[in-house]
Amino acid sequence: MYELLPRWNLVPRGDDDWHLVDGSGTQREMPDLIDRLGERWLRPVGRRDGAVKVAGLNVWPDHVAGILRRAGGVADVAVRLHANGRLKAFVVPEDGLEEGDLAPLLDVVMARSLRDHERPRSFRFGTELPRNAMGKLEDWP
C-alpha cells in the first residue's frame, strides 16, 4: 500500500478509476490502475498502458499482436504474458492454412520486426481465439 503525499487527493474518474488532484485543483491521471484503500491509501493493481515486463523490459502485447497480424496467412492473433515470464501467442490461420505453413512465416516476421524479448516463445494455433461465454478473450495453456 502507498499513502498519498499531503498535497494530493484522490477523486473519482468513473467506475473504479481515480484521478489525483492537488491543492490548486489541477488534475493528474494516475499512471496505473489502483484500488483505493481509504481516504489517503492506495494499491496499484495494473498498468494503464497495457505493458508487461519481459526480461526486465517493457513490452506491449497489443503491439506484438499487431505485428504478427500483418504476417501473410494470419486471420487473428492474441498475445499474453505466459507464466514463464515470456510472451505466448494464440494464432488463427486464414482458411486453408495449417500450423506448419504459418510457423515459418511468423518466424520471418518476428526476426524482422520484433526485438528478442518481444518475441513470443510459445504458440498455439486454432480456428478461433479462445473466448468465454461472455465473448471475452480468455487465457489458454
Side-chain angles (χ1 to χ4, degrees), residues 1-5 8-10 18 20 30 34-44:
M1 291 193 320
Y2 295 92
E3 183 177 15
L4 291 173
L5 293 171
W8 295 111
N9 290 300
L10 287 172
W18 302 91
L20 288 172
M30 293 290 296
I34 65 159
D35 275 341
R36 184 177 178 192
L37 303 170
E39 193 66 30
R40 311 229 24 96
W41 292 90
L42 60 95
R43 176 181 33 228

Side-chain angles (χ1 to χ4, degrees), residues 33-137:
L33 301 172
I34 65 159
D35 275 341
R36 184 177 178 192
L37 303 170
E39 193 66 30
R40 311 229 24 96
W41 292 90
L42 60 95
R43 176 181 33 228
V45 294
R47 291 185 60 145
R48 191 176 293 280
D49 66 2
V52 296
K53 288 279 188 188
V54 175
L57 301 167
N58 287 336
V59 176
W60 287 263
D62 288 344
H63 168 74
V64 174
I67 298 282
L68 297 177
R69 251 185 225 104
R70 287 187 242 150
V74 173
D76 206 357
V77 65
V79 176
R80 286 201 169 171
L81 187 62
H82 193 288
N84 66 10
R86 301 305 293 222
L87 294 181
K88 64 181 179 176
F90 193 102
V91 180
V92 178
E94 289 180 351
D95 288 337
L97 285 177
E98 303 271 333
E99 174 182 339
D101 301 325
L102 197 50
L105 297 172
L106 291 172
D107 286 340
V108 169
V109 167
M110 289 190 302
R112 288 183 183 159
S113 304
L114 297 172
R115 296 182 313 234
D116 185 61
H117 65 280
E118 294 175 308
R119 296 177 192 163
R121 294 298 193 249
S122 70
F123 287 85
R124 293 283 306 251
F125 293 84
T127 57
E128 61 185 35
L129 294 178
R131 298 197 179 274
N132 65 20
M134 295 179 61
K136 292 183 178 183
L137 186 65

